[in-house]
Amino acid sequence: MKKIILTGGGTAGHVTPNIALIPKLKEAGYEIKYIGSKGGMETQLVTDAGLDYVGISSGKLRRYFSWKNFSDPFRVLKGYFEAKKIIKKYKPDIVFSKGGFVTVPVVFAASKYNVPVIIHESDMTPGLANKLAIKKATKVCHNFPETAEYLGQKAVHTGSPIRAELFSGNKLTALDMCGFTANKPVIMVTGGSLGAENVNKLVRAALPELLKDFQVAHLCGKGKLDPTLTNTKGYAQFEYISQEMKDFFAMADIIISRAGANSICEISALKKPNILIPLSANASRGDQILNAKSYAKQGFSEVLDEDVATKDDLIATVHKVYDNRNTYIDAMSKSSGIGGVEKIVDLIKELSK
């Protein structure tokens, strides 16, 4: 039986694509071990998926001053020796890394033992952890066509691995949860697992006008419910949705979202017309802005700048997207970045012969 180590952590975006690969990897006969960080948020997600989880020491690699910059290199070094020990004992045929700081010592340790490494880069430009790890990679999978220029000969355009269950949603289940009717289109708003304050404000300001033509299912984030809007006809707000996310995707005619790479890959794989409101450059390294621009260029999305967009801009854009929805659906249907799970598992099989 072939053996694979999956690694990734720090955010759900570095874990859920790994989990999406599990059914096909098992089908292909792979034994799977997962390396994450000790006490990391990925621990629960991975153990819930039924995988053998091992935690190692990890430290964050920062571009800014922090006292932890003096101690974290020692934690990374400790993680490297722990990863070496695991790899030496487990003897994997291949390592697949989804990114996050915990993956750097794992990738370097695998390289030390000449184990092939496949890295997946979700964003348009590689983050710091992947920049370091790419040097040791055999191949680098990527989501955006433009990313290939940063990766050279190692680049493979696969798109992102999407969880199979997202394609099996039940629209009626979500309509019942929201108390919506089946004969009026639905906008789903999501700002990620923590919600997005600026997106919430913009949507709620536009709500009276939007509700004339649409119903709005709003995933607003923990602690961000607006009690003054409870029982508003055609509007349903939730802090967070987990198991029912597939049903909400099935229900949505339009999606308003941040532009995190994994989120928008799910949206495009499901061929949902969408409006992206990327996190501003003031609050991030600007990767969401680049992601959103690529999707707009490919004809998948419309983009609004959260720093300047008004409620009128949002209302006009919603109508534009809905009225031209088939144009966006056609563009997403022709993308070369679909079928990520199958492409990545084929590459894993090829490199672990």
Side-chain angles (χ1 to χ4, degrees):
M1 179 181 273
K2 294 277 187 182
K3 294 179 179 179
I4 184 169
I5 286 176
L6 302 179
T7 183
T11 68
H14 289 140
V15 184
T16 50
N18 273 334
I19 291 172
L21 295 173
I22 293 170
K24 286 288 181 187
L25 285 173
K26 287 184 173 177
E27 193 180 294
Y30 282 84
E31 181 185 304
I32 308 166
K33 186 183 285 289
Y34 200 107
I35 299 180
S37 53
K38 284 178 181 169
M41 59 75 62
E42 60 269 20
T43 310
Q44 193 64 47
L45 288 172
V46 173
T47 50
D48 284 351
L51 291 191
D52 178 19
Y53 183 91
V54 186
I56 63 170
S57 297
S58 67
K60 189 171 182 180
L61 307 164
R62 300 172 184 83
R63 291 184 174 88
Y64 55 87
F65 176 80
S66 166
W67 289 111
K68 288 185 177 179
N69 287 345
F70 297 100
S71 59
D72 278 9
F74 295 100
R75 295 174 65 188
V76 173
L77 191 61
K78 185 181 179 188
Y80 169 70
F81 287 111
E82 289 170 340
K84 271 183 70 178
K85 190 175 178 182
I86 293 163
I87 288 168
K88 185 178 180 181
K89 183 179 179 183
Y90 187 62
K91 294 182 172 58
D93 295 282
I94 195 161
V95 169
F96 181 81
S97 168
K98 188 58 200 75
F101 297 110
V102 70
T103 66
V104 176
V106 180
V107 169
F108 274 67
S111 175
K112 181 73 176 175
Y113 287 111
N114 297 313
V115 176
V117 175
I118 299 173
I119 288 173
H120 188 280
E121 176 52 59
S122 294
D123 289 312
M124 174 89 78
T125 59
L128 185 53
N130 268 355
K131 272 184 181 174
L132 294 169
I134 281 166
K135 298 168 187 173
K136 302 294 183 181
T138 312
K139 291 290 181 182
V140 185
C141 303
H142 58 99
N143 282 341
F144 297 93
E146 298 92 333
T147 309
E149 67 183 83
Y150 301 98
L151 305 175
Q153 296 297 311
K154 295 180 179 182
V156 185
H157 186 209
T158 61
S160 191
I162 306 297
R163 294 167 290 158
E165 71 260 22
L166 288 181
F167 297 92
S168 63
N170 187 319
K171 178 178 180 176
L172 293 177
T173 300
L175 288 171
D176 285 344
M177 273 187 72
C178 296
F180 289 170
T181 175
N183 57 13
K184 196 173 184 180
V186 175
I187 301 167
M188 182 173 91
V189 182
T190 174
S193 56
L194 298 176
E197 196 65 49
N198 288 345
V199 174
N200 291 350
K201 284 179 182 174
L202 193 60
V203 167
R204 286 168 175 156
L207 203 55
E209 199 63 34
L210 292 176
L211 291 177
K212 291 177 182 176
D213 299 297
F214 301 92
Q215 300 168 108
V216 178
H218 191 172
L219 313 183
C220 57
K222 190 169 177 61
K224 296 183 174 72
L225 296 173
D226 185 341
T228 68
L229 294 170
T230 305
N231 300 323
T232 299
K233 185 174 171 57
Y235 176 73
Q237 54 184 334
F238 304 86
E239 287 192 329
Y240 180 68
I241 291 291
S242 179
Q243 297 301 321
E244 302 89 353
M245 195 66 180
K246 62 184 186 298
D247 304 319
F248 275 61
F249 272 128
M251 171 179 69
D253 296 284
I254 295 177
I255 295 175
I256 298 172
S257 173
R258 282 298 199 199
N262 289 301
S263 297
I264 63 176
C265 284
E266 290 178 348
I267 290 167
S268 64
L270 293 161
K271 302 177 186 65
K272 294 292 178 178
N274 60 88
I275 299 165
L276 302 179
I277 307 176
L279 196 61
S280 73
N282 297 325
S284 70
R285 69 181 180 94
D287 50 302
Q288 289 201 10
I289 295 170
L290 295 174
N291 296 349
K293 281 182 178 174
S294 175
Y295 266 41
K297 183 180 172 185
Q298 294 177 75
F300 302 169
S301 314
E302 292 296 324
V303 180
L304 292 176
D305 180 343
E306 72 173 356
D307 291 332
V308 298
T310 65
K311 66 174 184 177
D312 292 330
D313 293 329
L314 179 62
I315 292 161
T317 308
V318 164
H319 283 285
K320 177 185 177 182
V321 170
Y322 185 71
D323 291 346
N324 298 285
R325 56 194 179 277
N326 290 330
T327 306
Y328 302 97
I329 292 167
D330 288 346
M332 288 183 273
S333 300
K334 293 170 185 168
S335 169
S336 60
I338 56 178
V341 168
E342 290 76 13
K343 289 177 182 175
I344 290 169
V345 172
D346 284 347
L347 187 62
I348 287 168
K349 288 193 282 191
E350 181 186 325
L351 293 180
S352 59
K353 283 177 181 174

